[in-house]
Amino acid sequence: MPATTTAGPTPLFSPGFAINPEPTLAHLRNTDPLHLLAPGVIVVTRYADCRAALVAPGLSAAGGQADRKQRSGAATSMLNTDDDAHRRLRRPGHQLLGPGAIDGILPTLRSQFSDFFAQVADRDTVDLATEVSEPLATLALTCALGVQDGPEPDGLGHLFAESAAALDPMPSADGAAQARRAVAKLDTWVERHLGTYPNGRLGRLITPDVARDDVVGIANLAVVGGWAPLAELLTTAIELALYNPDHRQAALGGQASTWCEDVIRWHTPIPFVARKATTDVDLPGGVVPKGTQVIIHIGSSGRDTEQFSEAGVAIDRPQVRQHLALGAGAHFCLGAPLVRAVLPVALDAFFRGLPGARTRGTLFAWRPGVFPRRPLSTAVLLS
Ligand code: HEM
């Protein structure tokens, strides 16, 4: 059972925590790993507990997502179903986003990214987050979903950005209303796309076992869950490589995929995920009673020095894929092959296309905010 309600240096999810969460998370890992946040809600912070919680059959993702589903109007999806219902949706998801599918789009992505940088190369400056990472994330998702020839190709970046509002697990009333509108708009757009392109990558997922609404849910989840985290990760990785020549060398050399993987652990764009206990669940740190809402702080797990010897990004880390930033178990991120493919391709295209790119500053900085956790954007000087 959780033993205490003391949250450490600054309370969890408070404004102070949003600016710098790590002191509180380190305190909880050391003293109170199954922290009782409120009656019936615990926060798990150690790597061993987070991993065990992600794979525990008694912790339901559907239960964890129930509030969010109701608030944002999210469709039934892989993320808010369990067991057979989840496995049924996972199959078409894998067909769309699995390693084979992503290998098939890589040549197109490479050429689209290099065209993108050819277009910005004559600018004096660009904002890294909004003028580089977000457009690259839009290109990656449109390519993966096969919607680049869809009815509104020019407005897709905007539509994806609006839909990202539904990712916030703790929105204000206005934020929740905005998320509901954005999700409805995205769904309408996907339905129109399916009507116009029945034989596209999304349309081909429809079979006697996979309904049109299922495909709308898969596309919706890929956009809501994937666009913003991918854009933020691209900003983080490019910023690190711009600030530090050792990181740049690692990002562009033979160890690029190891370095990129460790950036995913270090940044962890999705800091926590939610579950509900359908039975008493044994974790290494204690028992989670049936009915408890569990917040699994995967961001904290990636900084646990019991598991990862140093907290910063490492160029050569053994077992680099052990991090939990992409989840674990049945709900492991379906976008992982896309994320892992896009990151090195984007870094290569960035430094090839903009060889003189540099920043004014020398310090990587985070933007305040609990979810998602984002780096401050940087103005990149090109000439
Ligand atoms: C850096 C970027 C990303 C991060 C850090 C990330 C992280 C995660 C995490 C932690 C989960 C597990 C959620 C849970 O267990 O409750 C997840 C699930 C998922 N992700 Fe990602 N994701 C990223 C990008 C993407 C992209 C680009 C896509 C789609 C193209 C995507 C599609 C999905 C889907 C469909 C699921 C649900 C899988 C299931 O429930 O079976 N993600 N992601």
Side-chain angles (χ1 to χ4, degrees), residues 7 18 42 53 66 95 100 103 106 153 156 172 180 185 190 199 202 214 224 231 263 310 332 341 345 352 355 383:
I42 71 160
Q95 186 184 331
D103 277 356
L106 261 189
L156 275 186
S172 61
R180 259 196 312 277
K185 196 166 153 191
V190 177
N199 296 317
L202 287 176
D214 296 333
V224 171
V263 175
E310 50 175 314
F332 179 73
V345 169
R352 257 180 220 279
S383 58

Side-chain angles (χ1 to χ4, degrees), residues 54 65 78-79 86 90 97 141 221-222 225-227 229-230 233 264 269-270 273-275 298 324-327 330-336 338-339:
L54 285 168
Q65 293 285 332
M78 267 160 275
L79 204 49
H86 171 251
R90 186 98 187 166
L97 296 168
L141 268 170
L221 182 57
W227 182 82
L230 181 56
L233 185 61
I264 301 176
I270 296 186
V273 300
R275 297 289 189 268
I298 53 184
L324 306 174
L326 297 163
H331 293 272
F332 179 73
C333 177
L334 257 190
L338 181 66
V339 172

Side-chain angles (χ1 to χ4, degrees), residues 125-218:
T125 60
V126 282
D127 178 79
L128 185 55
T130 56
E131 294 182 306
V132 175
S133 304
E134 291 183 3
L136 292 184
T138 302
L139 282 175
L141 268 170
T142 52
C143 215
L145 302 181
V147 294
Q148 59 273 53
D149 300 323
E152 283 179 11
D154 295 339
L156 275 186
H158 188 63
L159 183 64
F160 290 177
E162 277 183 339
S163 308
L167 191 61
D168 185 349
M170 300 182 285
S172 61
D174 280 355
Q178 189 195 334
R180 259 196 312 277
R181 281 194 299 275
V183 163
K185 196 166 153 191
L186 179 64
D187 286 353
T188 306
W189 181 82
V190 177
E191 275 160 17
R192 273 181 32 219
H193 170 84
L194 286 170
T196 315
Y197 296 94
N199 296 317
R201 283 169 75 86
L202 287 176
R204 290 199 302 269
L205 300 178
I206 300 175
T207 65
D209 294 330
V210 180
R212 199 182 177 81
D213 279 357
D214 296 333
V215 175
V216 174
I218 291 167

Side-chain angles (χ1 to χ4, degrees), residues 108-127:
T108 312
L109 263 187
R110 273 203 195 92
S111 92
Q112 289 192 353
F113 282 12
S114 105
D115 291 350
F116 172 82
F117 287 112
Q119 280 166 25
V120 293
D122 56 1
R123 302 258 309 263
D124 290 334
T125 60
V126 282
D127 178 79

